[in-house]
């Protein structure tokens, strides 16, 4: 078993946004291999999001964005109203509202759209996360079920 240092945990946390204890556990499971730890966290995040998917998400925010001759609204739900106060969640809703201006109101197309400004840490620098992947990452990070309800 490799020695896991605080610097390694910090680096993994900065790259993935996962919690400190999750990062430490991932590094221990991966014997100190950073890439394997990222993969472990991704799998754990997907399974955590799947477990939470059955829970009701009835609170949340409505994001509004406007363009030169158009406007868009999106509803993003979470389990509790406390998440709506989270700056990360608010930023996500605002970004998705801007995306609705260009993608349109089809939720499935919106989920597949490229989430701007975020490069997937596991893939190469040219690989970007979709809105759905970013939402899954937020579910794993924040710990509540979330959903794109309508646009």
């Amino acid at each position: 078993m490799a020695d896991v240092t605080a610097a390694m945990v910090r680096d993994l946390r900065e790259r993935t946004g996962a919690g400190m204890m999750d990062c430490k556990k991932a590094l221990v499971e991966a014997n100190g291999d950073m890439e394997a730890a990222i993969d472990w966290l991704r799998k754990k995040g997907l399974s955590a999001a799947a477990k939470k998917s059955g829970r009701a998400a009835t609170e949340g925010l409505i994001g509004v964005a406007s363009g030169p001759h158009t406007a868009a609204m999106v509803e993003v739900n979470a389990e509790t109203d406390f998440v709506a106060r989270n700056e990360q969640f608010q930023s996500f809703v605002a970004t998705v509202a801007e995306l609705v201006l260009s993608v349109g109101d089809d939720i499935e197309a919106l989920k597949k759209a490229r989430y701007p400004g975020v490069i997937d840490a596991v893939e190469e620098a040219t690989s970007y996360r979709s809105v759905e992947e970013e939402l899954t990452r937020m579910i794993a990070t924040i710990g509540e079920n979330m959903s794109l309800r309508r646009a």
Side-chain angles (χ1 to χ4, degrees):
M1 184 167 91
D3 289 330
V4 176
T5 66
M8 292 169 68
V9 173
R10 184 186 68 236
D11 290 345
L12 183 59
R13 181 169 163 73
E14 288 172 359
R15 286 182 67 180
T16 64
M20 251 191 326
M21 294 308 293
D22 288 334
C23 288
K24 182 177 180 183
K25 187 173 182 180
L27 285 165
V28 168
E29 291 287 325
N31 292 322
D33 181 1
M34 187 68 70
E35 297 305 317
I38 290 171
D39 191 43
W40 187 89
L41 283 169
R42 170 181 267 174
K43 289 176 186 170
K44 182 183 181 289
L46 292 175
S47 68
K51 287 179 188 175
K52 291 174 176 62
S53 68
R55 302 192 316 207
T58 58
E59 302 293 329
L61 287 176
I62 304 237
V64 179
S66 62
H69 299 289
T70 186
M73 292 174 52
V74 65
E75 179 181 352
V76 183
N77 289 348
E79 291 179 51
T80 65
D81 61 343
F82 296 109
V83 172
R85 297 181 201 151
N86 181 314
E87 288 181 27
Q88 183 181 10
F89 183 75
Q90 292 171 353
S91 175
F92 175 79
V93 173
T95 301
V96 172
E98 290 288 332
L99 281 172
V100 173
L101 285 172
S102 60
V103 175
D105 63 354
D106 179 18
I107 292 294
E108 291 308 312
L110 182 61
K111 286 180 179 179
K112 290 174 179 40
R114 177 178 165 248
Y115 191 79
V118 178
I119 298 172
D120 195 327
V122 176
E123 302 295 329
E124 295 179 12
T126 57
S127 178
Y128 294 89
R129 287 190 200 140
S130 67
V131 171
E132 187 170 34
E133 290 168 336
E134 182 66 12
L135 183 63
T136 301
R137 190 191 66 76
M138 285 184 43
I139 291 169
T141 303
I142 294 175
E144 285 196 14
N145 185 30
M146 298 174 208
S147 65
L148 292 171
R149 175 104 193 276
R150 58 186 156 196

